[in-house]
Amino acid sequence: MNVTTVSYQIYKQAQHDSIAIPLKMSKNIILFISLLLILSILPRTHATVKYSITNTATQTPGGIRYETQIGFKHSKHILKSSNLFIWRLFQQRIKAERANVTHVHLLIDDMDGVAYCENNEIHVSARYIANYKADDIDDDVKREFNGVMYHEMTHVWQWSGNGSTPGGLIEGIADFVRLKAGYIPSHWVQPGEGDTWDQGYDVTARFLDYCEGLRNGFVGELNKKMRYGYSVDYFVDLVGKSVDQLWSEYKAAYHL
Ligand SMILES: [Zn+2]
């Protein structure tokens, strides 16, 4: 059935009441159906990602705290917002630029540690949630959860140079995303602190933030370069200096 047929039928059915109104209606319907047709032929550049959440620790103090102080609704919001934030930061505007992921599953598990990501599943420790104590008045378990989620969601989308990127850089990028999202925990090192650039986590995240200051979009571009491999020379390619030189200049900038 094409557009003309639909509008005609509407007009015929309504013509006993009025001519003017059905004509207007049919125009709106043509517009609406045209819009549907346009949407259906648009390339799927914004393919959706399905999110699901499972609390496997409902009977534990952490599982209960998760449901009362964080909850499924908030988790779904954070899954989606962290995902979109990472695509923006990684400059992954179209599907071809991203990892082939269609489903991200969050699980709250009765386990040690904080969280990990494997096969697009983010596992967060219910015990960590149960024992989390805020450091200051602006902090709470929900804020900490958000930070953990930005870190873990980064692992879903970041490239690893086919497994050749140093682990410290992988973790540093995940914490850099957390930093940029505004969820820096109070226990982190201060800018300029740390022993080596690839120490990982907060140390590397702070260093990457320094590099980002030298070249806007640095981390996103570095990630793009790591799609199929890794070389320490990527730092030279992007900012014209070796990573060792950058690290010593970074330390010097903070008199450390
Ligand atoms: Zn990690």
Side-chain angles (χ1 to χ4, degrees):
M1 185 184 290
N2 62 35
V3 173
T4 316
T5 313
V6 172
S7 62
Y8 175 75
Q9 283 182 335
I10 298 288
Y11 174 73
K12 282 298 234 187
Q13 282 163 3
Q15 68 179 345
H16 295 297
D17 304 322
S18 157
I19 292 173
I21 293 169
L23 271 173
K24 199 179 170 195
M25 270 174 63
S26 66
K27 272 183 192 166
N28 286 343
I29 286 163
I30 290 168
L31 205 68
F32 175 70
I33 292 171
S34 305
L35 192 69
L36 283 183
L37 286 171
I38 290 164
L39 286 175
S40 70
I41 56 166
L42 274 176
R44 289 179 162 228
T45 50
H46 294 279
T48 50
V49 177
K50 187 184 164 211
Y51 308 108
S52 48
I53 306 164
T54 310
N55 181 2
T56 66
T58 49
Q59 304 303 311
T60 72
I64 293 163
R65 190 179 192 194
Y66 167 76
E67 291 197 2
T68 53
Q69 294 184 29
I70 299 167
F72 290 103
K73 195 173 166 219
H74 176 74
S75 300
K76 195 168 180 195
H77 162 70
I78 288 295
L79 279 162
K80 193 174 178 188
S81 56
S82 62
N83 195 152
L84 295 176
F85 184 87
I86 289 158
W87 284 351
R88 257 197 316 276
L89 195 143
F90 282 170
Q91 305 157 19
Q92 295 176 326
R93 292 176 192 87
I94 56 167
K95 203 180 169 204
E97 295 171 330
R98 302 173 191 144
N100 184 22
V101 176
T102 53
H103 181 202
V104 179
H105 189 185
L106 166 66
L107 297 103
I108 311 300
D109 292 332
D110 184 26
M111 64 177 196
D112 288 330
V114 179
Y116 68 94
C117 179
E118 196 175 75
N119 301 324
N120 311 321
E121 283 186 359
I122 296 172
H123 297 258
V124 177
S125 163
R127 292 178 204 171
Y128 182 71
I129 290 171
N131 298 323
Y132 184 76
K133 284 188 182 62
D135 291 317
D136 58 60
I137 198 153
D138 296 327
D139 197 7
D140 60 26
V141 71
K142 203 184 231 182
R143 187 176 185 278
E144 173 64 10
F145 173 82
N146 295 349
V148 168
M149 290 298 293
Y150 272 78
H151 177 109
E152 298 304 331
M153 185 62 90
T154 306
H155 289 323
V156 171
W157 298 104
Q158 72 183 153
W159 300 119
S160 67
N162 265 333
S164 61
T165 301
L169 181 54
I170 293 283
E171 295 302 339
I173 290 174
D175 264 356
F176 171 80
V177 170
R178 180 176 181 158
L179 180 155
K180 282 298 181 198
Y183 296 115
I184 302 175
S186 59
H187 60 78
W188 270 26
V189 296
Q190 291 304 306
E193 290 183 352
D195 300 322
T196 59
W197 76 269
D198 57 353
Q199 206 172 325
Y201 298 99
D202 49 346
V203 170
T204 303
R206 296 284 199 194
F207 171 65
L208 291 171
D209 198 29
Y210 169 79
C211 297
E212 184 82 12
L214 300 176
R215 183 187 174 115
N216 194 27
F218 172 84
V219 173
E221 289 177 84
L222 181 64
N223 180 65
K224 274 189 204 181
K225 282 178 166 288
M226 298 194 302
R227 184 160 188 169
Y228 302 110
Y230 173 76
S231 166
V232 77
D233 291 338
Y234 292 164
F235 285 82
V236 184
D237 298 345
L238 291 171
V239 286
K241 290 172 184 175
S242 76
V243 74
D244 293 330
Q245 191 182 346
L246 286 165
W247 176 254
S248 54
E249 288 178 10
Y250 168 63
K251 297 293 282 185
Y254 289 95
H255 309 291
L256 293 169

